[in-house]
């Protein structure tokens, strides 16, 4: 019997396999990953420093134990180079493998903004355990960190680094933190609490070049100012890994295009997680992966299933000023209205029929996300 092959040992790959095994203990499964295959929680990467955690302590279950628990074969440190979908075969650094069904759980790559200067290559990003280990090494002896990007991941790292005692500068061409996810009034709530922790905000400008100094780097910004820093961390966004799928002739847009059964144009190939574009949406968060993993497990087990996402709020782990939000599509007509304010804000996005379609909860209101999510159902 040919196996199901899953490429990728992140949350998407392992969630799917765990859910599938609940339904089907026997079908052979091979998990191929170019990393260690160890199971860890990626969201921890942006709040582990202040807790003093190193990369090894973030591993929740080593690959070997995952393989035993899930009754699967894990090929770690093996890279898939090509998918020959008409032969249902994969070329990998560990040999050729045949599959019955193939699941692409390939994740996404950090976007790299081209910079000028003799140290442009020294920009770091943290998107997996190995990156985190390298980041911690780089931080040894450093006092200051500049972060490119004031979105969700940039703000979380800013909070974590400042709480760990680093002087942090966040540089973003936008007007305020988390600008792509929430209205100005709510985004600006983050300014003071993080500034009090040691974060300097630089909005409306961007890093143009990075040059080495005797110690650390000089960042020249678009507004002509120079920031001196020991480390530069880029958090400007992620790009779904689509190359393998594209080269195999699958449909690729922003992500690997799949339908509401998570199936590509090839009925034997599926995609899940940060690499996937599901019915036009790329959803690089934990909750969509959990829902998608459960649905795909049923589909691979032969059940007639259609993926329907519920409202899935996102928690921003800025402990100095917690935030929970349910983002709305950019082109949705309507307006943000303040529903309550105190040592935080409760805002709802109301469509033209006055129906609540999204929310932002900050500070004291952040814990109300379940209540707000229920309101969306009414
Ligand atoms: C710092 C940070 C904090 C976050 N915090 C939150 C949060 O608080 N809440 C939230 O909802 N979401 C958060 N996210 C997003 C969430 O963690 C991701 O959506 C999720 O972990 C993605 O899982 P994945 O399995 O799709 O991808 P990944 O975890 O990136 O896994 C991809 C896998 O594919 C493998 N792979 C890729 N190409 C190949 C190849 N050619 N051959 C073999 N193997 C290959 C890789 O080795 C890897 O194992 C955060 C993300 C980051 C980076």
């Amino acid at each position: 019997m040919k196996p199901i092959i899953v490429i990728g040992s992140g949350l998407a790959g392992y969630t799917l396999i765990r859910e599938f095994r609940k339904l089907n203990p026997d079908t052979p499964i091979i998990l191929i990953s170019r990393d260690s295959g160890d199971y860890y929680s990626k969201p921890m990467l942006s709040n582990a420093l202040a807790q003093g955690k190193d990369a090894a302590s973030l591993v929740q279950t080593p690959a070997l134990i995952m393989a035993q628990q899930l009754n699967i074969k894990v090929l770690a440190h093996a890279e898939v180079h090509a998918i020959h979908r008409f032969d249902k075969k994969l070329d990998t650094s560990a040999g050729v493998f045949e599959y019955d069904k193939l699941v692409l759980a390939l994740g996404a790559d950090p976007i790299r903004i081209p910079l000028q200067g003799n140290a442009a290559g020294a920009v770091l990003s943290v998107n997996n355990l190995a990156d985190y280990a390298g980041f911690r090494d780089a931080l040894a002896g450093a006092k200051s960190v500049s972060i490119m990007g004031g979105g969700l991941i940039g703000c979380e790292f800013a909070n974590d680094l400042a709480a760990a005692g680093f002087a942090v500068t966040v540089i973003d061409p936008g007007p305020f933190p988390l600008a792509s996810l929430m209205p100005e009034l709510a985004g600006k709530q983050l300014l003071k609490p993080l500034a009090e922790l040691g974060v300097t905000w630089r909005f409306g400008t961007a890093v143009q070049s990075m040059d080495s100094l005797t110690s650390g780097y000089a960042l020249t910004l678009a507004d002509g100012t120079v920031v001196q820093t020991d480390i530069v961390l880029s958090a400007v966004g992620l790009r779904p890994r689509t190359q393998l799928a594209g080269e195999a002739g699958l449909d690729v847009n922003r992500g690997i295009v799949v339908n509401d059964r998570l199936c590509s144009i090839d009925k034997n190939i599926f995609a899940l997680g940060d690499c996937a574009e599901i019915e036009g949406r790329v959803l690089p968060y934990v909750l969509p992966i959990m829902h998608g993993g459960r649905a795909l497990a049923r589909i691979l087990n032969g059940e007639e299933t259609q993926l329907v996402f519920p409202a899935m709020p996102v928690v921003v782990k800025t402990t100095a000023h917690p935030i929970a939000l349910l983002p709305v599509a950019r082109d949705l007509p309507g307006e943000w209205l303040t529903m309550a304010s105190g040592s935080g804000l409760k805002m709802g996005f109301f469509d033209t029929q006055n129906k609540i379609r999204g929310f932002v909860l900050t500070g004291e209101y952040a814990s109300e996300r379940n209540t707000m999510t229920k309101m969306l159902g009414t």
Side-chain angles (χ1 to χ4, degrees):
M1 187 181 191
K2 285 187 196 157
I4 296 173
I5 296 189
V6 178
I7 313 175
S9 59
L11 188 71
Y14 273 130
T15 300
L16 162 70
I17 296 173
R18 202 179 270 126
E19 294 298 328
F20 183 78
R21 276 292 181 248
K22 290 179 190 165
L23 308 171
N24 183 322
D26 300 321
T27 297
I29 299 178
I30 300 177
L31 174 61
I32 303 178
S33 179
R34 67 181 177 199
D35 61 32
S36 66
D38 294 339
Y39 182 73
Y40 73 104
S41 162
K42 188 180 283 202
M44 284 293 295
L45 296 179
S46 51
N47 69 349
L49 279 169
Q51 296 175 37
K53 293 193 183 234
D54 64 10
S57 65
L58 292 183
V59 173
Q60 291 170 343
T61 316
L64 204 65
I65 309 288
M66 289 303 284
Q68 287 167 359
Q69 283 179 355
L70 295 169
N71 181 28
I72 61 174
K73 184 170 175 178
V74 177
L75 292 174
H77 304 293
E79 173 134 16
V80 177
H81 297 306
I83 303 166
H84 302 289
R85 61 190 184 91
F86 297 108
D87 300 329
K88 297 174 81 176
K89 283 183 184 165
L90 301 177
D91 283 346
T92 83
S93 57
V96 174
F97 292 86
E98 288 189 69
Y99 61 82
D100 176 37
K101 304 278 184 226
L102 178 65
V103 178
L104 306 175
L106 301 164
D109 283 315
I111 293 172
R112 294 198 70 92
I113 291 183
L115 299 181
Q116 294 160 1
N118 64 18
V123 175
L124 302 177
S125 53
V126 177
N127 186 37
N128 57 41
L129 271 183
D131 293 344
Y132 178 71
F135 185 51
R136 271 183 63 98
D137 289 348
L139 286 172
K143 291 194 169 56
S144 57
V145 181
S146 293
I147 300 176
M148 293 164 60
L152 184 141
I153 293 186
C155 287
E156 290 188 352
F157 272 114
N159 192 140
D160 198 34
L161 284 157
F166 294 91
V168 178
T169 303
V170 176
I171 303 154
D172 190 302
F176 56 87
L178 300 159
S180 65
L181 292 170
M182 57 172 73
E184 182 169 356
L185 200 58
K188 285 191 164 168
Q189 296 280 305
L190 212 51
L191 295 176
K192 195 160 166 267
L194 262 66
E196 283 169 358
L197 208 60
V199 174
T200 303
W201 299 101
R202 298 294 307 271
F203 287 106
T205 188
V207 180
Q208 283 197 326
S209 66
M210 177 169 172
D211 291 282
S212 295
L213 299 172
T214 318
S215 166
Y217 304 100
L219 296 180
T220 307
L221 309 190
D223 61 9
T225 58
V226 175
V227 174
Q228 289 196 13
T229 188
D230 294 326
I231 307 274
V232 180
L233 178 69
S234 176
V236 296
L238 295 170
R239 184 172 290 130
R241 293 190 179 116
T242 57
Q243 193 181 337
L244 262 184
E247 287 170 358
L250 300 177
D251 271 358
V252 159
N253 188 30
R254 273 201 303 145
I256 301 167
V257 173
V258 292
N259 61 16
D260 59 4
R261 298 182 61 253
L262 297 164
C263 190
S264 71
I265 53 164
D266 182 321
K267 68 177 178 12
N268 298 307
I269 304 182
F270 301 80
L272 178 68
D274 285 8
C275 67
E277 180 177 322
I278 305 165
E279 298 263 284
R281 292 201 292 169
V282 176
L283 298 163
Y285 299 110
V286 170
L287 279 182
I289 293 176
M290 308 296 280
H291 284 285
R294 279 193 284 272
L296 185 51
R298 291 195 295 273
I299 290 161
L300 293 176
N301 198 40
E303 296 170 33
E304 207 37 67
T305 302
Q306 197 183 10
L307 175 59
V308 181
F309 285 121
M312 295 175 292
V314 177
V315 174
V316 186
K317 304 183 294 295
T318 40
T319 47
H321 193 73
I323 295 177
L325 60 105
L326 185 74
V328 278
R330 265 171 218 216
D331 51 357
L332 188 69
E335 60 175 337
W336 285 101
L337 296 175
T338 302
M339 300 165 73
S341 66
S343 67
L345 267 184
K346 185 197 294 199
M347 296 186 77
F349 185 88
F350 293 85
D351 67 15
T352 45
Q353 268 79 51
N354 210 24
K355 188 169 159 36
I356 186 162
R357 301 291 292 271
F359 59 78
V360 176
L361 305 167
T362 81
E364 65 173 305
Y365 303 105
S367 57
E368 294 182 25
R369 72 174 189 279
N370 291 339
T371 318
M372 286 296 278
T373 306
K374 279 188 197 130
M375 268 179 75
L376 267 91
T378 61

